[in-house]
Amino acid sequence: MDEKKVIAVIGATGAQGGGVCRAILKDAGGVYRVRALTRNAGSDKAKELKKLGADVVEADIDDVESLKKAFRGAHGAFCVTFFWDHFSPEKELAEAKNMAEAAKHAGVRHVIWSTFEDTRKWVPLDDRRMPTLMEKYKVPHFDAKAEANRLFSERGVPTTFLLTSFYWENLIHFGMGPKRGEDGNLYFTLPMGDRKLPGIASEDIGKCAYALFRNGGEYIGKTVGIAGSHMTGGQMAAALTKALGEEVRYNAVSPEVYRGFGFPGADDLGNMFQFKRDFESDFCGARSLAFSRTLNPSLQTFEAWLGENRDRIPVEKGTRRASG
Ligand SMILES: NC(=O)c1ccc[n+]([C@@H]2O[C@H](COP(=O)([O-])OP(=O)(O)OC[C@H]3O[C@@H](n4cnc5c(N)ncnc54)[C@H](OP(=O)(O)O)[C@@H]3O)[C@@H](O)[C@H]2O)c1
């Protein structure tokens, strides 16, 4: 009989949940089994997880009954919402409520809720340093996640509140990598001035979460923050220069300029970076590198991550204009 405890993982085919699944599955001698939740068990990513040894179960976080079934008998659950799929903080709140309700109903012993700070505690809605968005938020994809914390606590769900950091994969998938300027040079743009941005390899979030499950008793009811490096835009540009073998210059625009870039969510991200810039010591302080490394001794630094991933960062070929 299989005595292993089940961890149900939301977003199993994605970045955070996928990392959690792989961290558990790699530890073949460990005490946990993975129940990978997906809306489509027939997808290539779901099949891949099954091949690695996960039980793949269909569930939709918009459907509380499907979550109740998917959490049945589970010891733990990794819970995450997908803001960038729909840009709706209200939807995130409703989905977190579904997760909390389902966890309570199933008697899950340890939930890890992937959350963020409520930026309105630092910048109230009437503070004009940054615009209020959607009438109720300063950083919608942060504030709603923080607001959802109480949905777990109020129901008495044993929860660890996990503060994650900027994924370096944003440089690959989210259009945040170095871009070639009209002068032919490469520029890495962030509205962070000379302040440090905590970042992490998304796969390391999963490894840290796995350690939190393993040490459940210690972390239930606590908020823990993780990051692999705290670096300024200038330091990141220097690391990119070394990794890519071509100079990358730091383009420190203002948050106002960033908000005006016009891509979907630019205003939310402009406010997010401004918050991280203006409250650097609180934001970095909540994400201790040393603590993250105790959870995950193989935690990658930005340089190490670049060493593995530099070829995946899309960089337009050089077309430096001849001058003179
Ligand atoms: N980008 C960053 O730097 C960063 C940093 C920290 C935190 N975050 C936060 O991370 C969250 C997203 O997590 P992620 O990056 O791990 O997501 P992701 O890689 O985009 O993965 C999303 C996965 O979730 C599943 N999914 C989507 N809608 C679902 C639904 N209704 N029910 C069940 N599953 C659903 C999809 O799987 P199927 O199609 O298989 O169902 C998909 O593979 C966002 O809320 C964001 O704010 C982002």
Side-chain angles (χ1 to χ4, degrees):
M1 195 176 120
D2 189 353
E3 299 286 343
K4 291 197 176 196
K5 298 180 191 171
V6 170
I7 305 283
V9 182
I10 293 176
T13 57
Q16 295 192 41
V20 176
C21 291
R22 286 181 287 276
I24 300 174
L25 291 166
K26 266 186 204 146
D27 187 5
V31 300
Y32 298 110
R33 277 187 79 76
V34 171
R35 187 180 293 165
L37 273 46
T38 171
R39 291 164 302 175
N40 176 11
S43 73
D44 289 346
K45 283 182 176 175
K47 284 186 194 153
E48 184 61 35
L49 287 167
K50 198 173 160 79
K51 221 189 277 169
L52 292 173
D55 303 319
V56 174
V57 168
E58 287 193 349
D60 189 318
I61 61 172
D62 294 316
D63 173 1
V64 70
E65 294 306 320
S66 75
L67 280 179
K68 283 181 186 168
K69 269 192 220 149
F71 283 178
R72 195 176 291 156
H75 165 86
F78 181 80
C79 293
V80 55
T81 45
F82 311 103
F83 182 86
W84 303 108
D85 284 6
H86 47 71
F87 296 86
S88 165
E90 272 70 35
K91 199 166 156 75
E92 277 198 299
L93 278 160
E95 293 171 339
K97 183 164 173 271
N98 287 345
M99 294 174 198
E101 253 177 53
K104 180 72 185 171
H105 184 266
V108 174
R109 307 278 287 276
H110 187 185
V111 163
I112 297 179
W113 164 233
S114 180
T115 187
F116 277 126
E117 285 85 348
D118 189 331
T119 64
R120 297 166 295 187
K121 288 190 187 148
W122 285 263
V123 192
L125 291 184
D126 62 0
D127 189 321
R128 298 170 73 92
R129 277 176 294 178
M130 61 174 74
T132 292
L133 303 176
M134 303 178 188
E135 295 173 15
K136 287 198 274 194
Y137 305 100
K138 285 300 186 185
V139 181
H141 80 284
F142 270 47
D143 300 343
K145 288 185 181 72
E147 221 174 288
N149 292 354
R150 67 172 170 77
L151 300 172
F152 294 90
S153 328
E154 283 171 2
R155 287 173 175 76
V157 175
T159 306
T160 302
F161 303 93
L162 178 63
L163 301 172
T164 61
S165 289
F166 176 91
Y167 313 160
W168 294 318
E169 284 75 10
N170 292 333
L171 275 58
I172 303 171
H173 307 298
F174 217 46
M176 290 191 181
K179 298 271 173 320
R180 209 165 282 286
E182 291 196 349
D183 60 1
N185 293 307
L186 284 176
Y187 290 93
F188 175 59
T189 299
L190 273 186
M192 292 285 296
D194 61 357
R195 302 306 168 93
K196 290 183 172 164
L197 173 69
I200 195 161
S202 62
E203 198 70 10
D204 279 333
I205 298 176
K207 292 181 183 169
C208 291
Y210 178 38
L212 294 171
F213 279 125
R214 285 202 315 268
N215 300 291
E218 203 179 325
Y219 295 113
I220 286 170
K222 303 236 168 82
T223 298
V224 302
I226 52 172
S229 296
H230 297 162
M231 292 172 87
T232 63
Q235 290 169 332
M236 290 178 79
L240 282 160
T241 297
K242 219 166 151 194
L244 299 176
E246 180 182 343
E247 188 188 9
V248 176
R249 300 176 183 193
Y250 176 37
N251 179 30
V253 296
S254 70
E256 290 75 15
V257 166
Y258 198 93
R259 282 190 282 272
F261 280 162
F263 62 82
D267 50 0
D268 187 327
L269 290 177
N271 281 9
M272 175 193 81
F273 285 122
Q274 184 174 344
F275 170 70
K276 294 179 183 184
R277 181 196 72 177
D278 293 352
F279 303 97
E280 179 199 34
S281 75
D282 287 350
F283 197 77
C284 288
R287 290 161 174 77
S288 153
L289 304 180
F291 169 73
S292 307
R293 196 166 292 284
T294 62
L295 290 177
N296 169 17
S298 66
L299 187 77
Q300 293 181 76
T301 59
F302 185 50
E303 289 83 354
W305 180 86
L306 280 173
E308 296 286 319
N309 292 281
R310 67 180 139 224
D311 296 337
R312 299 172 64 210
I313 299 175
V315 177
E316 213 185 315
K317 287 240 174 337
T319 50
R320 188 183 291 272
R321 301 215 168 102
S323 58

